[in-house]
Amino acid sequence: MLYPSVGDEVKMKRTNTVIKIESRVAEGGQGVVFRGVDSGGHDLAVKWYRKNKYLERQYNQIENLTNYSRPHPSFAWPIDIVNHPTIVGFGYTMEWVEARFVSLVEVLKKKVQPNFRTLITIGIELNEAFSALHSRGLCYRDINFGNLLVDPYRGDVSIVDNDNIGSESSRQGIKGTLRFMAPELILGNSSPSIVTDLYSLAVFLFYLFMHGHPLEGQKVNASYTWDKGQEQSETVKVTHFFGREPLFVYDPSDASNRPEYDSPVLRWWDIYPEFFKGVFVKAFTTGLKEPSLMKRVTETQWRGALHQLNDQLFSCGCGAAVFKDFDIPDKRCWNCSMTPSSVPILEAPSGACVLSPGFKLTRHHLFKDFDYKDSIGSVEPHPNIPGELIFRNTSNISWIIEPVGEGVKEVKPGQRMQVRPMKMHFDKIGTTISNP
Amino acid sequence: MNDLNSLMPGGGISRRSLHFFILADCSGSMKVDGRIQSLNYAIASIAPTLINWEREQEQAQIFVRAIAFADQAWWHIESPQPIDLLNWVPLTHVEKGLTSMGAAIRMVADAISPEKFEPRSLRPVILLITDGKPTDVEEFEIGLRELFSLPAGKAAIRLAVAIGQGANVSYLSRFINDPDIPVLVAENVDQIAVKLTAATLAISKMSSIGSDRKQVSEQIILPAVNSFIQADDDTIV
């Protein structure tokens, strides 16, 4: 027998906890994944390795990972090695991923897309997970779409197949999935590291927001031919276009690899504000050819950019979700081609924010302390006046406001105010709302 | 949550087509032990694996075509069907039918010639399933020559499943033409689905561009072959 069967019991190595195999869930390149239940009735995932020549290395790798606590809630982290009474080999247990999580790529392929707040939340969660991993000196090494599940309604992320995670220095078999691999890895000039992970993260985020690969444009497409005498092997092509001479589809100084006419990237790219596109330009120009923590875009930069993007989201009069672009004041809507009418802007210390339904004012907006969780206020549609907004004080201190042409007023914790031009005071921090 | 409930751009990502050709033997001997029924069952049972794989990766969109062969070869599915819409009409054996494997290979070669084959597609996958050997040996030779003269034919991932002892592995090895990839032997009908699953996993791994065919073969195809060898090695000496 190569694998446990349904009904078998496997035992955790450290705690001797018995897990009963309930069903076979999936089969992959490395082995088979089962759903198991412990004596307390909790679901667990059990991955059993296929017999192969790397088995000993895989064992050490997993054993090592079980010594670490989970870096971020998004990781379905290995809990313990499991053994079977008669079957040679081993498996490991990890947390069971709930059914609300589906493959991200599956979501991106769907006609109806999650709203931008959800897409941004997915980006933020993914970025935070990698940040937590890298802060511990660990790297993921093999990021690809098979590893990444999301809740398309809430934006939660679940990262599975963590068996390739390790410290930068440890030796490891898998180099990565080619289309997510940094050029220096493809060329064999480097081994997987935090720096190469940062490249893969940028590719992921590009897919998330732009719906395509950052290097697959007209130039690469032109090389895909089955004509006699002109074909090259995929390996040659990959080494060339993803390794030796990679060229970003929106490289500012070389337009020869722009997205193909039928690529979804064309449409999505134009929607985003210039500052956000600029981060991708950095990631795929200097970050492409100069592999270092300084030249690649780090999680800190992505964090800032993603939160700022969230702050610039609003709805055009035609109903389309659009972003305020402070660099292009009269930017047109991607749907109706009109310049959206003006929107209320809160001049927070962290930067200008568009007040639109779903916007949450956090401590970071006021104090720039990277606390994005604590909510100070939230914007909702006005319950009685269509088109107007209200701002709810969700903090525990009163806001002092001076609406234009009105006297000084207080917005107590839990109270709501109608959004209109004014000066606002959050304790000692002063801001304004304008409607230019 | 009072969220922004606005219109979003439509989804979809650009993908390349992965054309999957099934060449299925419908000769007279396929009726033995219900082989043809097992073959139909096996194809139906690998479809979900392929659909899952397609769903979880960003690069390929799988299209299926099928050629059946007996006294002659014919298109069982001629226009490429997206895997998630695949409606497999069961094949039936041809009473006393021959094994025109060569004609089938020539048909697939024609379909992947530069004039007909989609330029941006990934390298095609050709899966040959048989319980015998070609009865049209001359055609078989021509077919292989035609296939290997084509860029897409040379680049194709060629896999073969031999059903039972009657299948001639040497012809199939010549079709595969890669020492790293063994012929998958289904000793009995129960194993057809198992071997096809192994072949399917190999497809999903090998078709990711630039993947190491040898490593994939070692990790996926060979264990399946080895497990068979182990099972067969319990003779008492």
Side-chain angles (χ1 to χ4, degrees):
Chain A
M1 290 291 277
L2 291 170
Y3 300 111
S5 311
V6 171
D8 283 5
E9 288 184 342
V10 293
K11 207 180 249 184
M12 286 202 205
K13 195 174 142 241
R14 288 185 190 169
T15 56
N16 279 326
T17 308
V18 172
I19 299 164
K20 188 163 174 244
I21 301 292
E22 291 280 321
S23 59
R24 193 180 169 112
V25 184
E27 179 157 5
Q30 291 182 314
V32 176
V33 178
F34 299 93
R35 183 175 66 83
V37 180
D38 69 9
S39 56
H42 303 109
D43 283 341
L44 287 164
V46 175
K47 176 168 173 177
W48 195 269
Y49 278 96
R50 191 187 301 283
K51 211 174 134 191
N52 70 79
K53 66 178 182 189
Y54 307 110
L55 213 54
E56 193 185 333
R57 194 198 290 170
Q58 282 161 339
Y59 185 92
N60 294 335
Q61 182 104 0
I62 297 299
E63 193 177 40
N64 181 38
L65 285 177
T66 59
N67 292 329
Y68 289 90
S69 61
R70 180 169 69 166
H72 185 270
S74 290
F75 289 101
W77 199 253
I79 299 168
D80 202 357
I81 300 264
V82 293
N83 293 303
H84 187 278
T86 54
I87 297 169
V88 188
F90 76 100
Y92 71 89
T93 51
M94 59 195 144
E95 204 174 305
W96 180 252
V97 177
E98 296 164 55
R100 66 189 171 98
F101 288 98
V102 295
S103 138
L104 169 62
V105 70
E106 196 180 333
V107 173
L108 296 181
K109 284 178 199 168
K110 289 219 165 92
K111 196 167 181 320
V112 179
Q113 289 294 288
N115 64 44
F116 278 117
R117 292 232 192 268
T118 308
L119 288 180
I120 294 168
T121 305
I122 291 170
I124 288 172
E125 287 297 304
L126 179 68
N127 187 60
E128 290 309 326
F130 274 87
S131 172
L133 189 70
H134 292 159
S135 308
R136 292 201 183 171
L138 295 170
C139 56
Y140 197 83
R141 295 189 176 121
D142 182 20
I143 313 176
N144 64 65
F145 272 120
N147 311 137
L148 188 58
L149 309 178
V150 298
D151 177 335
Y153 300 101
R154 292 168 54 175
D156 296 340
V157 168
S158 177
I159 302 170
V160 297
D161 267 345
N162 297 306
D163 17 350
N164 296 316
I165 291 177
S167 58
E168 277 196 317
S169 53
S170 60
R171 229 181 116 257
Q172 216 273 346
I174 289 173
K175 277 212 290 187
T177 303
L178 267 164
R179 289 154 50 80
F180 295 90
M181 269 163 69
E184 68 273 18
L185 272 181
I186 291 181
L187 295 177
N189 298 338
S190 151
S191 43
S193 66
I194 293 173
V195 175
T196 62
D197 266 7
L198 287 179
Y199 176 84
S200 311
L201 175 65
V203 176
F204 247 127
L205 292 171
F206 193 83
Y207 257 110
L208 176 65
F209 291 106
M210 309 299 174
H211 293 65
H213 193 284
L215 305 179
E216 275 180 352
Q218 295 165 8
K219 202 170 179 173
V220 179
N221 266 338
S223 77
Y224 294 140
T225 169
W226 293 110
D227 286 348
K228 286 191 184 182
Q230 286 175 34
E231 83 285 1
Q232 296 165 306
S233 81
E234 290 277 359
T235 315
V236 169
K237 271 186 272 196
V238 165
T239 314
H240 185 82
F241 291 115
F242 293 69
R244 195 159 291 120
E245 281 185 38
L247 180 60
F248 182 39
V249 290
Y250 284 106
D251 189 303
S253 56
D254 184 345
S256 63
N257 196 30
R258 289 285 181 264
E260 197 66 61
Y261 72 96
D262 57 354
S263 166
V265 175
L266 279 178
R267 186 172 25 136
W268 289 87
W269 177 259
D270 276 344
I271 292 171
Y272 297 99
E274 294 300 305
F275 90 87
F276 190 64
K277 295 192 271 194
V279 187
F280 283 112
V281 170
K282 180 187 173 190
F284 297 115
T285 53
T286 51
L288 197 54
K289 290 173 188 164
E290 297 175 54
S292 75
L293 286 174
M294 301 310 293
K295 298 292 182 180
R296 294 235 155 110
V297 178
T298 60
E299 286 97 346
T300 310
Q301 289 165 292
W302 282 122
R303 183 181 296 126
L306 290 164
H307 283 283
Q308 192 182 339
L309 185 65
N310 194 34
D311 289 346
Q312 294 180 204
L313 180 64
F314 70 105
S315 198
C316 173
C318 73
V322 290
F323 292 98
K324 179 79 187 164
D325 194 337
F326 293 105
D327 297 312
I328 307 176
D330 57 353
K331 180 162 172 168
R332 292 171 183 274
C333 166
W334 58 268
N335 184 47
C336 68
S337 305
M338 307 286 280
T339 303
S341 49
S342 68
V343 280
I345 307 282
L346 175 80
E347 292 290 347
S350 74
C353 305
V354 176
L355 296 182
S356 65
F359 172 79
K360 286 200 167 36
L361 187 72
T362 64
R363 279 188 56 89
H364 180 77
H365 286 116
L366 302 177
F367 304 103
K368 296 199 271 186
D369 61 357
F370 302 101
D371 180 349
Y372 299 98
K373 294 280 180 204
D374 273 356
S375 167
I376 286 173
S378 66
V379 175
E380 302 159 22
H382 197 293
N384 307 322
I385 313 173
E388 291 295 321
L389 299 169
I390 54 134
F391 203 172
R392 184 190 295 270
N393 182 352
T394 55
S395 74
N396 51 18
I397 55 161
S398 288
W399 304 346
I400 305 301
I401 62 169
E402 279 181 73
V404 174
E406 302 173 44
V408 175
K409 294 175 181 174
E410 183 185 1
V411 184
K412 294 194 176 109
Q415 235 183 347
R416 301 171 295 175
M417 54 160 250
Q418 186 174 340
V419 171
R420 55 201 191 274
M422 64 175 68
K423 284 183 183 159
M424 291 184 85
H425 299 277
F426 302 91
D427 205 1
K428 294 188 178 67
I429 308 285
T431 64
T432 60
I433 294 177
S434 60
N435 204 345
Chain B
M1 194 159 108
N2 280 299
D3 214 334
L4 195 75
N5 201 8
S6 310
L7 187 66
M8 287 293 291
I13 56 176
S14 39
R15 285 182 290 169
R16 290 166 67 193
S17 307
L18 172 67
H19 291 281
F20 180 25
F21 293 87
I22 299 170
L23 275 52
D25 189 344
C26 293
S27 61
S29 56
M30 286 294 285
K31 90 169 166 189
V32 177
D33 296 337
R35 286 175 185 167
I36 197 86
Q37 286 87 345
S38 300
L39 172 75
N40 286 319
Y41 171 77
I43 288 171
S45 61
I46 59 164
T49 314
L50 285 170
I51 291 169
N52 265 337
W53 173 73
E54 185 195 77
R55 205 179 281 153
E56 286 170 6
Q57 50 74 51
E58 75 294 349
Q59 195 191 0
Q61 186 174 13
I62 305 174
F63 291 93
V64 179
R65 272 179 269 188
I67 297 170
F69 55 94
D71 290 334
Q72 54 190 357
W74 67 95
W75 282 107
H76 182 58
I77 300 175
E78 186 167 10
S79 66
Q81 272 193 29
I83 181 77
D84 52 342
L85 302 176
L86 177 67
N87 179 22
W88 183 259
V89 178
L91 289 164
T92 47
H93 76 279
V94 172
E95 203 64 53
K96 297 201 172 110
L98 300 171
T99 307
S100 300
M101 194 188 290
I105 292 173
R106 292 192 70 181
M107 269 178 103
V108 80
D110 180 59
I112 61 173
S113 62
E115 304 79 51
K116 294 192 179 167
F117 199 50
E118 191 188 335
R120 269 158 64 179
S121 64
L122 290 160
R123 52 182 168 168
V125 177
I126 310 171
L127 173 66
L128 177 59
I129 311 164
T130 182
D131 69 342
K133 60 181 180 189
T135 47
D136 57 344
V137 176
E138 259 176 53
E139 286 281 293
F140 181 82
E141 298 298 337
I142 298 169
L144 283 195
R145 266 204 303 280
E146 284 175 352
L147 188 66
F148 294 135
S149 74
L150 299 169
K154 260 190 300 207
I157 297 167
R158 295 173 306 275
L159 299 163
V161 175
I163 302 171
Q165 293 295 352
N168 188 314
V169 174
S170 70
Y171 284 103
L172 298 179
S173 299
R174 289 188 53 211
F175 163 74
I176 295 173
N177 196 25
D178 181 341
D180 289 332
I181 300 175
V183 174
L184 296 164
V185 181
E187 263 303 281
N188 49 53
V189 291
D190 308 340
Q191 287 191 335
I192 297 177
V194 176
K195 298 301 168 188
L196 269 184
T197 305
T200 309
L201 284 168
I203 292 164
S204 59
K205 287 285 165 185
M206 287 191 200
S207 54
S208 56
I209 45 178
S211 64
D212 182 342
R213 288 165 77 102
K214 192 165 179 197
Q215 198 183 332
V216 169
S217 161
E218 280 171 1
Q219 289 193 357
I220 293 162
I221 302 181
L222 288 174
V225 173
N226 290 342
S227 71
F228 158 64
I229 291 167
Q230 278 169 358
D232 199 41
D233 199 27
D234 54 8
T235 42
I236 300 163
V237 190

